[in-house]
Amino acid sequence: MPKILEVDDLVTEFHTPDGIVHALNGISFHLNESETIGIVGESGCGKSVSMLSILRLIPQPPGVIERGRAIFNGDDLLKMPIDQLRKVRGFRISMIFQEPMTSLNPVMSIGKQIAEPMIEHLGMTEDQAADRTVELLNLVGLPNSRERKDDYPHQFSGGMRQRAMIAMALSCNPQILIADEPTTALDVTIQAQIVDLVNRLQNQLGMAVIWITHDLGVVARLVQRVIVFYAGYVVESAPVKELYANPRHPYTVGLLHSLPRLDGKHEKLTGIEGAPPEMVGEMRGCPFAPRCPYVKDICREENPALREVSGLHKIACWVDI
């Protein structure tokens, strides 16, 4: 299957008064056409920063993209002139953010915000964009969309705002949709509805999707491939069924053991001892070594490279478990 996005050796740092925060430390992954991948890991591991770096949306300063490539349709997004990049953002690559109330303009109607990219990128008139906005709001399941499009964000519930954000992201028929923890602030019922909605739209529209989350339970039925982040590194990558059936990195094993099982096996949930490492300053050895039950001397001295263990399954670990 052709690759639509290929990220290679992406390094992003933040220069702060306390020192240099090493947010991304040589991240590499790819996305195939019409594929859905999940990027998982605990808060602060670099999931969102990786996407913001690819689109060059991190604040600069203090953020600095030190090196790397992000090849999209043959062009490097990290070297693309900013005027050209603006034609990609929101048009070819769209992003759904986890906090719709802070992402939506509070003094502009929902309809105008959805129509804006269509007028900008597709050259639609205001009337054409307004009609398409109604179609999009119907597509994402918002009732009375012709009347509600003139409402403002504060008049929508959390779930409705997130649906409006999805409608905005889909307005220009993007090739890639990035969903950055879009269900975090929603209750469980609405979370399930949003997950089902994105899954249905992906199948219907054929776009590629990057789903960012800290919840391995969400990605189980949504993605074809999972990439596990830890402390700004990719520590494991595998097809979703392979990852759940045979996790090979101790961190992934710990994440899966912290999930309740639905197959009737009543196992005690276990957490991962310790805390994620400080990202300020240089790190020596494997970043997971202080928390790892399988740690060896080499783990504290040298950080392992990502290596293939079987088929499409890759891990960055010195230990075979």
Side-chain angles (χ1 to χ4, degrees), residues 28 234-237 304-308 314-317:
S28 297
V234 172
V235 295
E236 186 159 11
S237 174
L306 202 64
R307 61 184 172 90
E308 188 176 290
K314 298 178 180 179
I315 62 169
C317 186

Side-chain angles (χ1 to χ4, degrees), residues 278-314:
E278 291 288 335
M279 307 289 278
V280 178
E282 295 292 338
M283 286 184 283
R284 184 177 181 182
C286 172
F288 191 62
R291 309 174 71 184
C292 181
Y294 306 96
V295 65
K296 300 192 297 187
D297 289 341
I298 191 174
C299 303
R300 297 186 177 92
E301 297 297 325
E302 190 176 344
N303 192 18
L306 202 64
R307 61 184 172 90
E308 188 176 290
V309 288
S310 64
L312 297 174
H313 200 155
K314 298 178 180 179

Side-chain angles (χ1 to χ4, degrees), residues 112-129:
K112 284 188 176 180
Q113 294 186 63
I114 296 173
E116 194 172 44
M118 292 185 284
I119 295 170
E120 172 71 21
H121 294 298
L122 301 180
M124 288 187 179
T125 65
E126 289 190 7
D127 288 343
Q128 288 171 331

Side-chain angles (χ1 to χ4, degrees), residues 100-282:
M101 201 59 197
T102 59
S103 303
L104 292 167
N105 188 331
V107 297
M108 184 184 289
S109 72
I110 291 289
K112 284 188 176 180
Q113 294 186 63
I114 296 173
E116 194 172 44
M118 292 185 284
I119 295 170
E120 172 71 21
H121 294 298
L122 301 180
M124 288 187 179
T125 65
E126 289 190 7
D127 288 343
Q128 288 171 331
D131 290 340
R132 178 60 179 156
T133 295
V134 173
E135 294 175 9
L136 287 164
L137 290 174
N138 284 330
L139 183 68
V140 298
L142 273 174
N144 304 317
S145 56
R146 190 164 293 278
E147 294 77 27
R148 295 306 303 268
K149 73 179 176 60
D150 296 322
D151 287 349
Y152 290 83
H154 72 272
Q155 295 173 281
F156 277 35
S157 68
M160 291 169 70
R161 285 195 293 267
Q162 200 57 282
R163 288 173 185 267
M165 286 286 294
I166 294 171
M168 190 186 308
L170 297 177
S171 61
C172 294
N173 298 317
Q175 293 174 273
I176 299 176
L177 178 67
I178 300 169
D180 186 5
E181 304 208 41
T183 62
T184 296
L186 306 176
D187 65 58
V188 175
T189 303
I190 304 300
Q191 280 184 19
Q193 292 175 5
I194 296 298
V195 170
D196 287 339
L197 172 62
V198 174
N199 195 28
R200 174 172 60 82
L201 292 173
Q202 193 271 342
N203 291 330
Q204 183 177 335
L205 302 175
M207 60 192 170
V209 177
I210 300 175
W211 189 280
I212 301 171
T213 183
H214 60 270
D215 187 349
L216 273 167
V218 168
V219 302
R221 61 190 180 90
L222 193 64
V223 311
Q224 286 89 53
R225 194 160 44 87
V226 183
I227 299 166
V228 184
F229 277 34
Y230 185 78
Y233 294 92
V234 172
V235 295
E236 186 159 11
S237 174
V240 62
K241 290 182 180 178
E242 169 72 12
L243 187 92
Y244 280 77
N246 187 29
R248 300 289 297 273
H249 194 281
Y251 175 61
T252 311
V253 172
L255 286 180
L256 289 171
H257 283 172
S258 67
L259 289 176
R261 299 180 68 101
L262 300 177
D263 58 5
K265 295 180 181 178
H266 300 289
E267 296 182 2
K268 184 179 179 181
L269 300 183
T270 57
I272 301 173
E273 293 186 2
E278 291 288 335
M279 307 289 278
V280 178
E282 295 292 338

